[in-house]
Amino acid sequence: MKLWGGRFTKEENQLVHNFNESLSFDQKFYRQDIEGSIAHVTMLAKQGIVSEQDKEQIIAGLNGILADVEAGKLEFTREHEDIHSFVEANLIARIGEAGKRLHTGRSRNDQVALDMKLFCRDEIEEIDRLLKTLLEELLKIMKENLDTYMPGFTHLQKAQPVTLSHHIGAYAEMFFRDRGRLRDIRERMNYCPLGSGALAGTTYPLDRDYSARLLGFYGPTLNSMDSVADRDYVVELLCGLSLIAMHLSRFSEEIIIWNTNEYQFVELDDAYSTGSSIMPQKKNPDIAELVRGKTGRVYGALMSLLTTMKGLPLAYNKDMQEDKELTFDAIDTVKGCLALFTGMISTIVFRKDVMEASAKKGFINATDAADYLVNRGVPFRDAHGIVGQLVLYCLERGIGLDDLTLEEFRKISPVFDSDVYEAISMKTCVEKRMIVGAPGREAMEKVIEIYKKRLDE
Ligand code: ARG
């Protein structure tokens, strides 16, 4: 059906139709389109703009379309331009005259703005749920690994000892921020564009507060031109998704590194790794690599939409139809990545023995050895130099700081005493770091309590 047949004389060229149509992808929000129409007609009836009887018929017709689409009985046939025309045409075919009254006081411009908002809002909830599940898994790992020592890295070089709990906790922080970001976006976008019409509102006495409330919005948007032209919330959502993808990619990269023969910090479950068609010894971290790789298309969606929106004059422009495919793809991609990553991380085996052995090598207690001297009155700069000399001495002999005899310690600085061994043991190095945010057990337990409460909220 052509919604704008009246003014046109020539049949639409097929190529133009194919180029112009959006039904092939905006069919994805048929539910939101119907939900919006039901709210709209409910409001129209309350205002006496359509009769109660027409309203009843329209709602029954819309629910029939919904049921048929969901049951696979109604197909999205290509002759319709978009989901809005599709639903309206089907409604008129089902209920006749009354169906023609649904679009009173509405334009596809405020309709699509509404559909996209409802869709994004629903998806935000879904993504938030996936983030929560991932965080629950991370919290479990954190609780179980408060004493699993491992090297902490800077520049991918061993730096200071931490625990697996602390390392995983860094990612928990990231994913908590991601949830907060989604919440912020939802708050800001939660105003209803319905009633903005094509761009200048309408002369019908619509009750915009009422339809906004019916749809769970805080209220109506306050400028009809902005309402049909605004896609900020989609850009924000793509930005939020990009950050989730970025965090997942960093985590994946660590898993990939930890899974190498050189590290062997983890063992991936068979279900989340694949073999090589030629090298029988291989067990590849494909899922982690794919999650890392898919980040590109999520960033791409963000850049694409920003570019589409750049320089667009008010109000609605067809360019904005380009917001959909890339947003749908970014959402599906991130949802897939979150689900798969959660599966992978919850079945992974952490090789605690290997992590701890690795932490023992590489002088990651050197800072603590220097601090030991500082606590006995040596200025930090001197202490740094003394421990540097000790490290050099150890390197020449292929040993660690803990392997030095007290005599060897004292040869370089007489300040060292027999309690140095205790002071630079891995346990001490970690446990003494008990200020908030540090890896010491005491500090971590408090943080985990906070996380647990946050997840229960
Ligand atoms: N398919 C269109 C879109 O996604 C719907 C709005 C069409 N409005 C119009 N005036 N052509 O943006």
Side-chain angles (χ1 to χ4, degrees):
M1 184 187 79
K2 283 283 160 288
L3 295 179
W4 29 268
R7 190 186 181 285
F8 285 74
T9 48
K10 268 193 215 155
E11 274 294 297
E12 189 192 25
N13 176 309
Q14 190 60 44
L15 281 177
V16 173
H17 174 85
N18 293 349
F19 194 67
N20 200 39
E21 70 88 29
S22 53
L23 182 61
S24 53
F25 47 89
D26 64 16
Q27 56 180 257
K28 203 170 169 92
F29 48 54
Y30 67 89
R31 239 183 305 113
Q32 287 82 5
D33 194 76
I34 290 172
E35 186 189 349
S37 287
I38 290 176
H40 180 62
V41 75
T42 305
M43 179 275 297
L44 289 179
K46 182 182 90 69
Q47 297 301 95
I49 300 167
V50 302
S51 68
E52 278 298 315
Q53 203 186 351
D54 283 348
K55 177 192 93 175
E56 297 299 332
Q57 274 198 54
I58 290 172
I59 293 179
L62 289 170
N63 280 328
I65 294 172
L66 181 65
D68 286 354
V69 168
E70 307 221 300
K73 283 196 244 163
L74 182 57
E75 267 179 52
F76 298 105
T77 40
R78 286 296 293 267
E79 74 263 22
H80 303 287
E81 185 183 327
D82 51 31
I83 186 65
H84 326 298
S85 342
F86 172 85
V87 172
E88 197 179 335
N90 268 283
L91 182 69
I92 294 168
R94 279 165 196 239
I95 66 167
E97 280 301 300
K100 295 184 189 166
R101 298 189 202 282
L102 168 62
H103 211 52
T104 314
R106 189 176 67 172
S107 152
R108 278 185 299 160
N109 296 353
D110 59 347
Q111 195 177 355
V112 76
L114 172 69
D115 290 4
M116 196 65 183
K117 266 198 177 171
L118 289 175
F119 181 82
C120 288
R121 211 176 60 178
D122 290 346
E123 292 297 326
I124 282 177
E125 229 165 84
E126 185 68 18
I127 298 161
D128 186 63
R129 203 182 50 73
L130 288 164
L131 280 169
K132 186 171 183 221
T133 313
L134 171 56
L135 278 162
E136 281 161 357
E137 283 305 326
L138 298 188
L139 219 55
K140 222 184 283 167
I141 300 171
M142 287 175 72
K143 277 188 223 152
E144 286 163 9
N145 290 283
L146 285 161
D147 305 311
T148 305
Y149 302 125
M150 66 179 290
F153 297 83
T154 61
H155 314 270
L156 209 50
Q157 312 257 349
K158 288 181 193 176
Q160 289 176 342
V162 294
T163 63
L164 179 59
S165 182
H166 191 242
H167 196 121
I168 297 290
Y171 286 100
E173 280 283 310
M174 294 179 223
F175 295 123
F176 273 121
R177 282 201 297 276
D178 288 329
R179 290 189 80 192
R181 234 178 316 268
L182 291 180
R183 210 178 314 130
D184 294 345
I185 298 167
R186 191 190 187 285
E187 282 294 301
R188 207 167 12 259
M189 70 177 263
N190 201 30
Y191 294 88
C192 184
L194 203 55
S196 300
L199 78 162
T202 174
T203 53
Y204 295 102
L206 306 186
D207 185 346
R208 294 195 59 209
D209 276 299
Y210 181 69
S211 40
R213 255 184 297 122
L214 285 180
L215 291 164
F217 288 103
Y218 296 141
T221 51
L222 299 182
N223 182 294
S224 59
M225 292 181 82
D226 176 60
S227 302
V228 295
D230 169 34
R231 295 294 181 273
D232 289 6
Y233 61 97
V234 188
V235 173
E236 285 191 53
L237 176 56
L238 291 174
C239 188
L241 292 176
S242 294
L243 283 166
I244 297 173
M246 180 186 89
H247 295 151
L248 286 173
S249 82
R250 296 181 69 174
F251 207 164
S252 294
E253 169 71 3
E254 304 232 48
I255 302 287
I256 292 163
I257 293 173
W258 292 353
N259 183 59
T260 55
N261 287 333
E262 287 71 18
Y263 275 75
Q264 297 181 16
F265 281 9
V266 295
E267 221 166 279
L268 291 170
D269 191 81
D270 280 355
Y272 290 92
S273 39
T274 49
S276 156
S277 59
I278 173 169
M279 298 166 281
Q281 84 282 13
K282 279 293 207 63
K283 192 173 157 186
N284 297 327
D286 286 32
I287 299 305
E289 289 174 49
L290 267 175
V291 170
R292 184 179 60 182
K294 282 179 191 288
T295 309
R297 59 203 272 182
V298 183
Y299 291 3
L302 172 63
M303 288 321 297
S304 174
L305 186 59
L306 279 171
T307 310
T308 295
M309 296 305 294
K310 176 187 175 295
L312 281 190
L314 289 174
Y316 177 80
N317 296 276
K318 187 78 170 198
D319 313 45
M320 279 159 17
Q321 179 166 291
E322 287 295 309
D323 63 352
K324 291 175 197 61
E325 286 162 287
L326 50 93
T327 303
F328 296 161
D329 181 70
I331 289 172
D332 289 344
T333 301
V334 168
K335 285 201 303 195
C337 288
L338 279 169
L340 268 291
F341 192 91
T342 303
M344 179 178 71
I345 201 78
S346 58
T347 52
I348 211 166
V349 174
F350 292 99
R351 302 276 311 273
K352 302 183 190 190
D353 51 331
V354 181
M355 287 184 168
E356 202 160 326
S358 164
K360 285 203 173 120
K361 281 182 254 150
F363 304 102
I364 62 181
N365 50 1
T367 316
D368 292 84
D371 289 344
Y372 172 91
L373 294 173
V374 170
N375 286 330
R376 279 153 192 77
V378 181
F380 181 77
R381 207 30 72 210
D382 294 341
H384 188 283
I386 291 167
V387 177
Q389 285 180 53
L390 282 170
V391 167
L392 197 61
Y393 181 88
C394 288
L395 278 172
E396 282 160 3
R397 286 157 184 78
I399 56 173
L401 286 173
D402 335 46
D403 301 321
L404 291 170
T405 63
L406 188 54
E407 253 164 51
E408 287 170 309
F409 269 119
R410 281 170 170 289
K411 222 186 284 167
I412 299 191
S413 168
V415 180
F416 284 113
D417 218 328
S418 58
D419 57 353
V420 65
Y421 296 101
E422 165 77 26
I424 65 169
S425 78
M426 188 115 55
K427 193 170 167 48
T428 313
C429 288
V430 173
E431 294 315 332
K432 271 198 345 213
R433 291 179 154 77
M434 49 198 171
I435 59 161
V436 64
R441 175 181 255 278
E442 223 172 276
M444 283 304 300
E445 274 170 345
K446 280 185 204 146
V447 167
I448 288 175
E449 251 339 282
I450 295 172
Y451 288 168
K452 221 166 56 194
K453 274 200 204 109
R454 251 193 235 168
L455 277 184
D456 290 340
E457 266 166 22

